[in-house]
Amino acid sequence: MKKNGLTKIVTTFKLNAPYLNIVFYIYKNRNFFELINYDDTLPGLHIQFPQMILKIYKEQFIFETINNTAVNMEYFKRYTAYGFYGLLQNWIRNGFRENTDEFIHEVIDLAKTHIYSIEYIGNKEENL
């Protein structure tokens, strides 16, 4: 990981489990996240969860595509956020069939197909 001021840049080929702490958090709190399997337990969870991932991507990360392919980054972040949410949702609905390391490995392998690097720029409040 390179540090550039307050930012941190990592290529997807150097990603590993600690970069996806959210997966460990979800697994540790799986009793809560399993509620996603039931439509009426937490109204709006199905909408708010992917929107929160998207909000984090928009506000705290800069993505670089493979070969610096020019894309609409707004769409790219939405595509990536909702794709990640879909994988999380499937993992939860399947009862966490893969252990956290296996799941993270699959997510990273998929990220390598379209993301070259991820730059963490942090919260605006952190940078003030």
Side-chain angles (χ1 to χ4, degrees):
M1 178 179 294
K2 294 185 243 176
K3 289 187 178 181
N4 179 8
L6 295 175
T7 66
K8 297 174 188 169
I9 302 170
V10 65
T11 64
T12 52
F13 288 93
K14 294 192 178 193
L15 279 178
N16 54 32
Y19 291 104
L20 290 166
N21 281 331
I22 188 171
V23 174
F24 295 108
Y25 179 82
I26 289 170
Y27 187 76
K28 181 180 176 185
N29 296 285
R30 62 189 170 275
N31 290 335
F32 171 79
F33 285 97
E34 285 173 336
L35 295 174
I36 205 167
N37 294 325
Y38 309 101
D39 291 334
D40 59 351
T41 55
L42 294 171
L45 180 63
H46 297 87
I47 295 168
Q48 292 173 359
F49 193 0
Q51 286 178 344
M52 183 53 66
I53 295 171
L54 179 59
K55 181 179 184 331
I56 292 168
Y57 281 9
K58 283 181 174 181
E59 295 176 1
Q60 298 182 30
F61 292 94
I62 296 172
F63 292 91
E64 182 181 342
T65 59
I66 300 289
N67 298 323
N68 253 342
T69 303
V71 297
N72 178 322
M73 198 49 68
E74 175 78 21
Y75 276 48
F76 185 82
K77 287 183 178 184
R78 182 173 300 278
Y79 164 79
T80 305
Y82 277 82
F84 182 50
Y85 168 71
L87 293 172
L88 288 170
Q89 183 183 41
N90 186 64
W91 185 51
I92 295 165
R93 289 191 180 198
N94 286 324
F96 304 93
R97 190 177 321 153
E98 300 92 358
N99 68 42
T100 53
D101 291 332
E102 292 168 332
F103 180 74
I104 288 170
H105 177 76
E106 293 297 331
V107 170
I108 290 172
D109 280 351
L110 287 170
K112 289 176 187 177
T113 67
H114 60 284
I115 301 171
Y116 173 73
S117 69
I118 303 166
E119 180 178 359
Y120 175 70
I121 57 174
N123 288 325
K124 291 177 184 170
E125 295 82 35
E126 288 176 356
N127 296 330
L128 295 177

